[in-house]
Amino acid sequence: MRTSINRTAALLAGTAALALGAGCGGDDGDSGGGGDDAADIEAVVSKALTTTDVEVKCVETVTEGFVTAVYGTLAQCKKAEAPEPDDDPLPTGAAVSAVKVDGDKATATVTVEGSDSDGAAGEISFEKVDGDWKVSDLGVSFLRSQLNTSLEKGTFDAEDGPLADPAVRTCVGEGLGALDDPAFKKLAYSGIGDAAPDANFVKVITDCASAAEGDTGADADTGGETGSEDVSLLRKQFEDGIRESAAGDDATEEQIDCVLKELRTTISEDEIVKAVGEGADNVSNELAQKAAKAIQGCG
């Protein structure tokens, strides 16, 4: 049974596509390596930004070291960057400035234009490989800016669980912003690489969700009979995923309510938090067995 609990990590996913972009703009005159280098750097960023081709994203425009640092393997890069029907629109371009070249290394400031990351800006590093410039690293300044811009301008709905609450998004932004640079970069790269949500991200979002519940004291309405009981925002998201999956299997409302009531007695909040950290593709056998037992008993 699949759930939507890992959508809380989606905020950081796809950052690579947003980061590697320049549709307009140019050198500020401090290229250090001539106008040709600046133009080539702008071209490779633009190519990466405006495509859904995984070969371009994972081979042509990035170094092997970048793929290893962010995704682990080339196969994982192609899996993480494979386009899906519900992907957000790509940026329309970006402005590139402050291009500095030092031999086969370079840096540039990239400002994203269009999409939910419009205005995100920061430094990106490049390396020349076999005569071609490729992205070698995303600066923390850019990663932080991309996150903050996405939180401010992104579209969130019920499927995003706690992040659908503006107060939670503000709290998450502040919590993640307080991380030191190495911790933040590790968190961001795990999101880009479509890995299990980073422990820092899970802690921040669960703490913020709990704080929001304490402020509002609101019931989480899951629909059906179970809506009359208080549940945490994370459990609500967990249950929404189960409800959606069960409805797709033609279960009745009575059966679904029965399953959710059973799981409220057998699955703890700690187990749900752990499930968020592991992602929906890595649900533990114990959790799966409890769900299967509840379904069987309510069939």
Side-chain angles (χ1 to χ4, degrees), residues 5-210:
I5 55 177
N6 67 337
R7 285 184 59 90
T8 53
L11 181 64
L12 299 178
T15 307
L18 299 175
L20 312 181
C24 59
D27 182 25
D28 65 351
D30 187 19
S31 67
D36 289 344
D37 283 325
D40 290 344
I41 287 171
E42 178 176 310
V44 73
V45 193
S46 179
K47 187 174 184 180
L49 173 70
T50 57
T51 185
T52 57
D53 188 329
V54 295
E55 283 293 325
V56 174
K57 290 181 179 296
C58 298
V59 179
E60 294 183 24
T61 60
V62 296
T63 64
E64 291 181 1
F66 179 85
V67 171
T68 299
V70 179
Y71 305 93
T73 66
L74 178 59
Q76 176 59 23
C77 179
K78 291 182 177 181
K79 177 182 177 183
E81 295 299 336
E84 297 185 1
D86 59 350
D87 284 345
D88 292 331
L90 291 173
T92 57
V96 175
S97 61
V99 178
K100 294 180 172 61
V101 178
D102 182 8
D104 288 341
K105 308 287 186 180
T107 60
T109 298
V110 175
T111 302
V112 176
E113 297 176 343
S115 79
D116 290 344
S117 290
D118 183 55
E123 187 174 272
I124 295 177
S125 298
F126 302 84
E127 182 179 340
K128 186 172 283 189
V129 180
D130 296 329
D132 296 323
W133 286 109
K134 295 187 176 185
V135 173
S136 60
D137 191 38
L138 306 179
V140 175
S141 62
F142 183 88
L143 294 171
R144 289 186 183 277
S145 181
Q146 197 276 337
L147 171 67
N148 291 334
T149 304
S150 296
L151 284 170
E152 292 172 4
K153 300 182 179 180
T155 301
F156 300 87
D157 55 32
E159 288 186 340
D160 295 302
L163 290 175
D165 184 341
V168 173
R169 293 200 297 275
T170 297
C171 177
V172 168
E174 293 173 350
L176 297 183
L179 297 176
D180 61 30
D181 285 353
F184 188 90
K185 189 166 189 175
K186 179 176 179 291
L187 177 151
Y189 271 12
S190 71
I192 298 169
D194 201 22
D198 180 86
N200 282 314
F201 184 85
V202 175
K203 183 179 188 311
V204 168
I205 199 167
T206 51
D207 287 350
C208 290
S210 297

